[in-house]
Amino acid sequence: MSSYIERPRFSCALCGALMAAAALPDTIPIVHSVAGCVGNVAWTQQGGAALQVGGPCGCLGIPGTNLREREVVFGGLDRLREQIANTVVVMEGRLFIVLTGCVSEVIGDDVDSVVRSYKWAGMDIITARTGGFRGNSYRGYEELLKTLFRDYVRTAKRKSSRLVNLWGVVPGMDVFWRGNLEAMRRLLESMRLEVNTFFTGEDSLETLACAAKAALNVVVSPLYGVEAAEIFTEIHGTTYLVAPFPIGPTATGRFLHMVAEALHIGNEDVDRVIDRESERYYRYLSPLTDPWIDLDLQRYALIIGDANYAFALADFVADDLGWLPEQVFVTDPVPEDQREDILGRRAGLRPEPEHRLVFETDTSAIRHRLDPRWFPVEDGNDYRESFSPAFVIGSSMDRELAESLRAGHLSVGFPVANRAVLDRSYVGYSGGLRLVEDLVGAMVAAR
Amino acid sequence: MSSYIERPRFSCALCGALMAAAALPDTIPIVHSVAGCVGNVAWTQQGGAALQVGGPCGCLGIPGTNLREREVVFGGLDRLREQIANTVVVMEGRLFIVLTGCVSEVIGDDVDSVVRSYKWAGMDIITARTGGFRGNSYRGYEELLKTLFRDYVRTAKRKSSRLVNLWGVVPGMDVFWRGNLEAMRRLLESMRLEVNTFFTGEDSLETLACAAKAALNVVVSPLYGVEAAEIFTEIHGTTYLVAPFPIGPTATGRFLHMVAEALHIGNEDVDRVIDRESERYYRYLSPLTDPWIDLDLQRYALIIGDANYAFALADFVADDLGWLPEQVFVTDPVPEDQREDILGRRAGLRPEPEHRLVFETDTSAIRHRLDPRWFPVEDGNDYRESFSPAFVIGSSMDRELAESLRAGHLSVGFPVANRAVLDRSYVGYSGGLRLVEDLVGAMVAAR
Amino acid sequence: MSYFDRATPPTRESRLASCITYGGTICGLAGKGRRSCLENAERSFSQGSICLLLPALGIINSLPDTAVLIHGAVGCGTVTHSQNCIVRMGSAARHGKARDVLWFTTALQELDVVNGGERRLEDAIREIDREHSPKFLVVVTTCIPGIIGDDVDTLVERIAPEIKARMLPVHCEGFKTSIWATAYDAVYHTIGRNLLEPPEGELTSGPNPRLVNLMNVSSMGRPDELELERLLRALGLEVNIFPVFADPGGMHRATRAALSVSTCPTHDDYFLKHLRERYGIPFSIRHMPIGIANTALWLRDIASYLGLKDEVERVIARETAHLQAALEPLLPLFQGKRAFIAAGEMRALANGTLLRELGFEITGMRTFHHDEFAEGEYEKLAADGSDFVVNIADCQPFEEANLLRRLKPDVFMGHVNANSTAARMGIPTVAIYQVGMHFVGYRGVYELARRLHRQIRNPSFNQRLAEHVRLCYREEWYRRDPFSHIQRRGEDQL
Amino acid sequence: MSYFDRATPPTRESRLASCITYGGTICGLAGKGRRSCLENAERSFSQGSICLLLPALGIINSLPDTAVLIHGAVGCGTVTHSQNCIVRMGSAARHGKARDVLWFTTALQELDVVNGGERRLEDAIREIDREHSPKFLVVVTTCIPGIIGDDVDTLVERIAPEIKARMLPVHCEGFKTSIWATAYDAVYHTIGRNLLEPPEGELTSGPNPRLVNLMNVSSMGRPDELELERLLRALGLEVNIFPVFADPGGMHRATRAALSVSTCPTHDDYFLKHLRERYGIPFSIRHMPIGIANTALWLRDIASYLGLKDEVERVIARETAHLQAALEPLLPLFQGKRAFIAAGEMRALANGTLLRELGFEITGMRTFHHDEFAEGEYEKLAADGSDFVVNIADCQPFEEANLLRRLKPDVFMGHVNANSTAARMGIPTVAIYQVGMHFVGYRGVYELARRLHRQIRNPSFNQRLAEHVRLCYREEWYRRDPFSHIQRRGEDQL
């Protein structure tokens, strides 16, 4: 690993855990750290989360102990006790989650003991260790899930054969998380499944607490939430399926089949859904055919994204759009030894040749690791082969790069500073159509 | 009326009727005109219909008699007979609709007699007079509906109290027509109604033929389809409701109440839908709050659209976004005496002051009729009041105007050359969210 | 009397006996000239197509400082919404700024059909002149005025003294011709009659022996012009590009050239003959500079007129070597792949030669019409003894669908708006032109090869589509003779 | 010994006894100075807020030719994603092209916490210097290094000779201060220590008697700078804008000015005192040029230092007359409307005066901290005998929600990211700053008035929101004293 990360496309563990905790229904996070951590999250969202800031608490409404030098010297547990006691008085919530930050962890506060005492007193309160030095926002999400599964989800006597839990979409890091979770929920519901997605408006603390009844956990990510899934299996016995994040008809059909197979559901329900949704997808896509060909909208695609999106976008543009994703950059800091795992989890998909798939966290380094064929041929009678016309699907930080490649660009991955996302989703069938609209929109804007 | 129209935002009656007829399930239009009419429609779609070209027939697949000078001199009925007879051999369809163009009408072909003879022979075939000189594409849509209601919809013995027909969204002229119709269908279905929308993938010729069973016809337009609704009432007895085209929560809530009231349905179903959908809408909108205020996304809005969109967009931005639609241009050629009617049909909505609402078909004339306050204050210490910051919601022809006003711009109304629309919709609750995303996206693109 | 002395140009049917209906083979056509499809062969079933108004507007809409008034029903001319995109891009490429077309329609209504449209047209001209003050105003006549008998030329002549704009009448009555190429004659006709004399007071220099008129076509974008300009400059020539995107006020400069160079015989013969007759300017018109051999032929033709034989061979040798080396890595994928082409006749044929150069086999070809200019091209393709299906049709995708189902080509190259049948059948498709991309000259060969290469490498878009959508033809249709709706009254048929 | 001789600057708490906790009224504060909220008043319940790192990065990220290395956990500094937007817009406004911030994090991990982070920091500096060659490299220290004791200053000094980039250490250990304004001192500290000496070999001209340093703040965009520049130029002055978006390599030119002009006392006192002590440059710092009267006071202050009394009165008279006439049509809507303000102390107070000038009544005010600079401002607002609630809080929206429910103001003006509580309660909101829009000087008054006018005319966005979303506080909370979580250990309270 390098000694630095340049312009990381994620924040710290606390940020990830906080964005996720704030997204849970009726839940109040309590940040045990210095005051600035919460504001950092709010401003990070302002610039990176496609104009979505804060949860129901508002961006600076998250309770926090706001530690100062005094606590660094004498410990912060008294302050934490006081804060918890008063949080219940001020804040409307039913579940309270204490999230630790760097400072409380480095000074060694025994947060567990405090939380335990409130828990024994009957309060629904849990805690996760999410100090920034423990890792990035994806790690924070994972830690939050682990805490929930360990300390909040109740053991269940029996499984409900058509109930599944689904996770792997990281609130805030996936700026489309709200629409994406809703879309996946709808897809699985249309297969006559009951679905817990934990973080949407249709979830509740009750269904979260009963999540152990699920017959299957579906992790729609090769990376995020897999550890949590293992812990879930350990504690509650529910097995899990690691499925690729499904964008567009090909991947979504495969996804639905994987889920059905894991649940030992007959193909009937799956095929009905796939047939209906595919019919609809291609009915809507079909009128684009003439412009697609006549305007030559096939592109060499440069994909830059996290482990969910990088693979999902590459598969979508290759399998459904007929694009050529010549290089795919995964911007997560994935240790060498885990890279094989990730690739292994792309079960059934063709392996990516080495030169096509690049793990790279640093924004400028992406440019340095580009195949020279991305760089545009200067005008004149130059016959050098090039990846042109090109399109960059990345974050808003990749605009300069796209411009220098004379390529189109769409901001999809964090940070997304230059668009607003509300319920938009790129997942599933309709999400695929939405992505086609947005990609083409970026290509023909001057038309 | 002026002696010309500059850059009309519509094509001719044939074009409108053809785009609608081609959108009907299992239907084959037969154009009785010169060869170029079909190609004109295809190319018009290429440039104006947000990259949606052709129906299932493909853009140049529509059968046509392709009249030449010979037929102009000797009449085109023999050619029409031959064409109909062979169309059945080549084309897969169950309903055939002969649409007349300028040439066959001007030379006086008695198309009715030919169609009648095939009809008597057992063929499902009807005809509409859609010569270009009869009016614009909206008129063509209306003529097609009238023909369908008169000659294809079967008389029904009794009404089904929860069945409604919905129209007023003009295929091709509303480039979002597919998504919009589907969205309105879903909304009404969620009120436990059965819905015919005629032109979507969920409609069929059977349900069209049985449309007379409907308890109510809902025309979501102050203008398009109202005449057809009158004819429907005359022939089949079903009453109709003229409802504003509903964008966003305020208008959609009002729309659902209007429909329920007209159907004498209790408020229970309506309120359940409105509550659920409003809750969802504002849950998704809420995280935009901070950026909305901090980036000052309130705008003076210049709205340019057809009678459906101009009013609907103005209402949405005023009622739901808190924008200031200082001028609203309706680009349909509405005779003076009908303008009152249109305004009258905006029942329950505040009347627009005279200077705010302008009927204007000509693109350059819009600029001339702008309030001088739209034009930007030059830099320096000028305190002239101005409609700045401004946003233009119009067609892709209004980009130059927007640029000169230093305003943001989104192409919504025909022609839309610079984006692709597949299943996107701006109707209803989720449509409102989509529109907010797109408007904001246009404002923050350089951020 | 020259055609140009009359108010309206002749149709291609009458001038060239062009036709649009044939189903047979290349060998059936090669060498048979215009007799190959008889004038009275017709379809008993047909699908809609385009009329001459569309290609005419393709040129007219591009002209700077020009407003366009379409005299007809409101729908005629809305094709401009599509051409506007090309004009925006073309203006940006040529002048650095996108420009929207300024166009009008008289939007004739029922009363006008009864009473005649001249009054409305006159009012429209006067009002546009007053309100918009365009330098040039093209007045385009469509079907309705053609049938009801509006005398546009007389009207224009009568009011011209009171109108500031220079008016340019163009006749596009769709019912009068099935050959869209008549559009070029219609536009050139008004150029020839109105824009070739230098304005009074302008000093006219004599002919420039290094200047050639490069006749562009509206389907060629700026990159294609630059490629041809590059090649002509390599021969030491100066280039006047004409008429698409050319300033009408400067068109008279075309009369000073030493040679006019066509890039498409179908496009230019009418006008180039006029330039020769009236101004003594010779022209080279035999080949389209598409493909390696054709580009060389095109250059040699030009060189032979201007005495540049040695220069041209040097240029051709250098360019060809450079290109061949670049093509090398792309060719293996193409070997033996079977291609189907559908487009305007000259373009389709020239691309046939090009695809063969790349290693493709031609398995079928559809051309929009047929006339004498293409004879040499058919012979080029038939020369090696191979045969393939040729279908002459003004689109008519039902014949195409039937043919494609039988021939199952590996790749399809079609005219804009004519690729979707093949695409929905899952065949990799490449548009045969796309304004703004490279198609002509040596660069065109290379870029087209790259495009074919990537489409063949990943044809998923079309494949997925084909798996899920179907065309609107009855299964029975595919089992019938694709040409069974061609009424054969003549000879030389299958 | 000057503060600037030490490696790290003092906190505002120790230097100025600034505080963040008070609930009372304006009359309770006016004239009482720093005693008004005692240092040890604290909240027994608090909500998250920001730390000095954020405003520090607000300045640092704007500097051209500068890379930023944040030494801390990976999350510290991701606020730059938001500031990057401002830097892009600001660069476009100043240099015609958007620029993305180049920033790095050492992303400290568990092992670093145990073993210390100096090695990683050193490696990072060397690698960045090698790979990216920035001219300047700001090294920002955060909480973890502050606790584990990394000695960044010594490290920087040690390796400086081997590093091409000029390194600028800035200390932002969030736990050390609750007063974000310490950020300005932290940044100015490194500027004062590293960038005020002209580079060797550069000819230094003597002081320029017409040159003033205009101290901008990162919440002011280019339009605000232009407005102040316009006013200063009207006085015949030349303007050196400093430090946001200023070239670090040219910052030494600030030492040649005749006067330094602050636009916000909270922002600049630390540095301006240094400039005076070290370089003998006087400064004017008493007022913020926000509002009609304040802008005049600000200008007069400057003029008095430079002997421009007559000139300044002419400018003020002309500008005021011009502005007042323009405001006329907007004012009726504002009469008697009740406003609530929440922002940094100086900015909130100055806007209070401004809103009164427009006809608003101030019904409550929240400021982020309190220090001696604001005393005069409180007195201005309390002068007319009217009283209103004042709440000093580092955000703490729970107190705000309670207050707003009681006071029901007609309009709310808040700091960026602090408007959503009021908005979700349905109150019309206007951000008290938004980089890139006008807020200061005369133009600022006019533009703010227009903004208020349109927000009050159509507050639907907030109203609809309030009808459908609720804040996350218990109903019981609204019935309690809004300041009940302030631990009153001192005097002067409600």
Side-chain angles (χ1 to χ4, degrees), chain B residues 249-250 278-279 282-283 285-300 317-326 356 377-389 436 443-447, chain D residues 82 84-85 88-89 98 227 230 319 322-324 326 329-330 414-421 423-424 429-431 433-434 437 442-443 446-447 450-451 453-462 464-465 467-469:
Chain B
T250 301
S278 301
E279 189 277 326
Y282 287 100
R283 173 160 43 81
L285 185 72
S286 181
L288 179 63
T289 307
D290 279 290
W292 184 267
I293 297 160
D294 294 343
L295 302 179
D296 188 33
L297 299 182
Q298 188 188 42
R299 289 289 179 274
Y300 294 93
V317 303
D319 296 341
D320 292 327
L321 297 190
W323 282 15
L324 306 160
E326 301 289 0
R356 285 229 197 132
V377 172
E378 291 311 309
D379 279 342
N381 193 16
D382 191 339
Y383 293 143
R384 186 167 62 81
E385 216 197 318
S386 74
F387 294 155
S388 164
V436 175
M443 291 191 274
V444 303
R447 190 171 179 255
Chain D
S82 152
N84 190 58
C85 305
R88 284 177 64 85
M89 297 303 198
E227 168 70 358
R230 181 181 73 82
E319 291 286 337
H322 189 185
L323 171 62
Q324 292 285 15
L330 300 173
H415 190 269
V416 162
N417 264 357
N419 288 294
S420 58
T421 299
R424 289 192 175 91
T429 45
V430 172
Y433 77 82
Q434 161 53 28
M437 290 170 22
Y442 298 102
R443 180 77 183 261
Y446 182 69
E447 295 298 335
R450 285 186 57 227
R451 235 169 274 140
H453 198 270
R454 62 175 155 85
Q455 288 290 350
I456 292 170
R457 257 182 71 203
N458 192 349
S460 300
F461 187 91
N462 292 358
R464 292 292 98 75
L465 208 58
E467 288 162 16
H468 294 92
V469 302

Side-chain angles (χ1 to χ4, degrees), chain A residues 182-216:
Chain A
E182 191 180 274
M184 294 206 233
R185 166 183 273 275
R186 287 281 164 283
L187 270 175
L188 295 183
E189 282 174 352
S190 67
M191 278 166 59
R192 297 191 296 136
L193 298 178
E194 261 186 282
V195 190
N196 286 328
T197 39
F198 308 152
F199 299 102
T200 76
E202 288 157 276
D203 293 292
S204 70
L205 287 177
E206 283 67 32
T207 54
L208 170 56
C210 298
K213 285 188 190 161
L216 179 70

Side-chain angles (χ1 to χ4, degrees), chain B residues 320-335:
Chain B
D320 292 327
L321 297 190
W323 282 15
L324 306 160
E326 301 289 0
Q327 279 189 309
V328 179
F329 285 82
V330 178
T331 54
D332 296 314
V334 185

